[in-house]
Amino acid sequence: MTRFAIWLGKNLDAVIALTIAIVVAVISLGLKIPDESQVVNSAILAVIGLLASSILRDRGRRIPVEAEVRDTLRASSATLDGLGERLERIERFEGVISDTKRALDETAVVRVISGAQVGQVLAEARRDTDRWFFKGGTGTYIRARTLPECVAAARRERRTLLFRVEILDPTNVEVCEAYARHRRSVSEEPDGTGEQWTTERTRKEAYATILAACWHKQRFGMLDIDMGLSQTMTTLRYDLSKSWVVVTRDDPRGEALVIAADKFYYGWYSAELQVSLDQARRVPIEQARLAPLDDEPTVEEARKLFEVLGIELARGYTDRDVVEIIRKALRAKDPFE
């Protein structure tokens, strides 16, 4: 009954028109008036009745179609929602694949080398570089190979050279003693220079690196060198050139990591070395012009240099000790040989 009432409410206009048409037609035919206008009117009413019945039939057919369309739209909407979720999962999966591929690519270029390969890779890195960042112990290898060879190449090609160096603070006896103790714990044998590691040797090596930096700066004006003195020791050495980052330990016969410059690890190391240097005690190398050094610096010139730099030589250092520092600065032995 309720369904009929709903149907009647929707189709009331057509029902009324059909009812009136039928009633009037029946009455007119019952009167049997042979009037021409009466026949026309009856015909019109019949047409109205047919139209009304057509409307009812059309609406009856349209209702299930509309219901079917609504059901179809609902199903399509649900399908689209499901498709959207699937697309999101696919995008996340593609992101995971992309990140994994990138990680594998990066891992592939982190080479592990050892022994004589270390010196070969560092030589390749020095070949045409316009920059060098170093962080390590006393900078022995920097004095022996890296700084003089890079300066020679830059002078030959008439280009600028950027150097950033962070070594141990020679005035900090505690950190120098900790470094020497660490080196002896690794090996009690002399290294490639033929010397054993002691606190005094550590301090002299660091003093020598400072003197060498100033000496090269005075002879090559396009050398932009900045130096910091660290208050903490590290067991690793970082050498960053234009093309590579080489991470080694203090034992030159051990393993080393090599990372290409086009990988994001390179940028990480570059930023880390710069931040570390910014926190170190800065050596005012620009003040070295106040203490000129000869090609063969004298003891007096070396003492004057450390005085203007504000870096005190160890108390009790004799002229012989200063001569040893000068020798280490300009004639350092390669610890990798």
Side-chain angles (χ1 to χ4, degrees):
M1 192 67 183
T2 302
R3 184 180 300 176
F4 175 75
I6 295 173
W7 178 87
L8 184 61
K10 292 182 178 180
N11 302 283
L12 186 60
D13 53 347
V15 171
I16 293 173
L18 179 59
T19 302
I20 293 173
I22 294 172
V23 171
V24 173
V26 171
I27 292 174
S28 298
L29 294 174
L31 293 176
K32 297 181 180 180
I33 301 175
D35 190 349
E36 189 176 296
S37 62
Q38 185 67 35
V39 174
V40 172
N41 290 337
S42 297
I44 293 173
L45 290 172
V47 171
I48 292 174
L50 290 173
L51 180 61
S53 64
S54 297
I55 292 173
L56 290 172
R57 187 170 63 252
D58 179 68
R59 289 182 178 177
R61 292 174 178 173
R62 188 173 60 195
I63 289 173
V65 173
E66 290 177 349
E68 183 178 352
V69 170
R70 284 196 298 272
D71 293 342
T72 302
L73 290 175
R74 291 194 191 98
S76 299
S77 178
T79 301
L80 290 175
D81 292 341
L83 181 60
E85 293 177 359
R86 291 189 183 94
L87 289 175
E88 290 180 0
R89 287 197 295 269
I90 290 173
E91 289 178 356
R92 290 196 295 268
F93 182 68
E94 289 178 345
V96 171
I97 292 176
S98 177
D99 292 342
T100 302
K101 182 178 182 299
R102 182 180 181 184
L104 291 174
D105 290 342
E106 294 295 338
T107 303
V109 299
V110 179
R111 292 191 291 145
V112 179
I113 59 176
S114 61
Q117 291 179 303
V118 177
Q120 294 171 3
V121 169
L122 289 173
E124 182 180 347
R126 292 192 299 268
R127 188 165 301 159
D128 60 350
T129 190
D130 60 356
R131 76 203 69 162
W132 200 281
F133 283 28
F134 171 82
K135 177 180 178 180
T138 60
T140 305
Y141 189 80
I142 288 290
R143 298 192 314 272
R145 286 296 185 85
T146 307
L147 184 56
E149 291 186 14
C150 287
V151 167
R155 179 183 287 112
R156 184 170 56 252
E157 298 172 12
R158 299 183 180 181
R159 55 174 170 78
T160 58
L161 178 62
L162 176 67
F163 250 78
R164 297 290 181 262
V165 180
E166 181 180 350
I167 61 172
L168 298 177
D169 187 345
T171 65
N172 187 327
V173 179
E174 290 77 12
V175 72
C176 291
E177 183 179 359
Y179 182 79
R181 187 166 56 248
H182 164 71
R183 294 300 300 267
R184 289 196 304 271
S185 69
V186 174
S187 175
E188 294 184 354
E189 298 296 325
D191 61 12
T193 66
E195 299 181 60
Q196 291 182 323
W197 282 96
T198 64
T199 302
E200 279 307 307
R201 181 196 168 183
T202 301
R203 300 184 72 184
K204 289 178 180 178
E205 297 283 357
Y207 280 126
T209 301
I210 297 171
L211 193 152
C214 296
W215 188 87
H216 284 286
K217 173 62 178 175
Q218 290 183 6
R219 279 153 182 77
F220 184 54
M222 288 189 288
L223 171 62
D224 180 1
I225 186 167
D226 198 4
M227 178 176 287
L229 304 179
S230 178
Q231 307 306 308
T232 57
M233 61 159 284
T234 175
T235 62
L236 300 177
R237 295 173 64 258
Y238 302 88
D239 288 276
L240 183 146
S241 72
K242 183 176 68 174
S243 54
W244 303 99
V245 176
V246 183
V247 184
T248 58
R249 303 185 72 176
D250 293 314
D251 182 5
R253 294 162 294 184
E255 295 180 332
L257 300 180
V258 182
I259 302 164
D262 60 347
K263 303 303 177 181
F264 70 87
Y265 289 148
Y266 178 94
W268 287 6
Y269 279 113
S270 178
E272 175 65 20
L273 293 176
Q274 184 61 57
V275 171
S276 179
L277 180 63
D278 290 342
Q279 298 179 72
R281 175 190 175 189
R282 184 174 181 275
V283 178
I285 292 183
E286 66 277 3
Q287 296 297 320
R289 67 181 185 278
L290 302 177
L293 298 171
D294 288 338
D295 291 343
E296 293 291 335
T298 64
V299 172
E300 291 73 18
E301 289 172 345
R303 289 186 181 276
K304 177 66 175 179
L305 173 68
F306 287 107
E307 180 182 342
V308 300
L309 293 178
I311 300 174
E312 295 182 359
L313 288 172
R315 184 175 302 177
Y317 267 12
T318 64
D319 289 352
R320 184 175 180 178
D321 294 316
V322 177
V323 168
E324 184 179 1
I325 292 173
I326 295 172
R327 177 184 59 79
K328 288 178 176 291
L330 305 182
R331 297 178 181 81
K333 294 181 179 180
D334 185 348
F336 284 8
E337 290 182 347

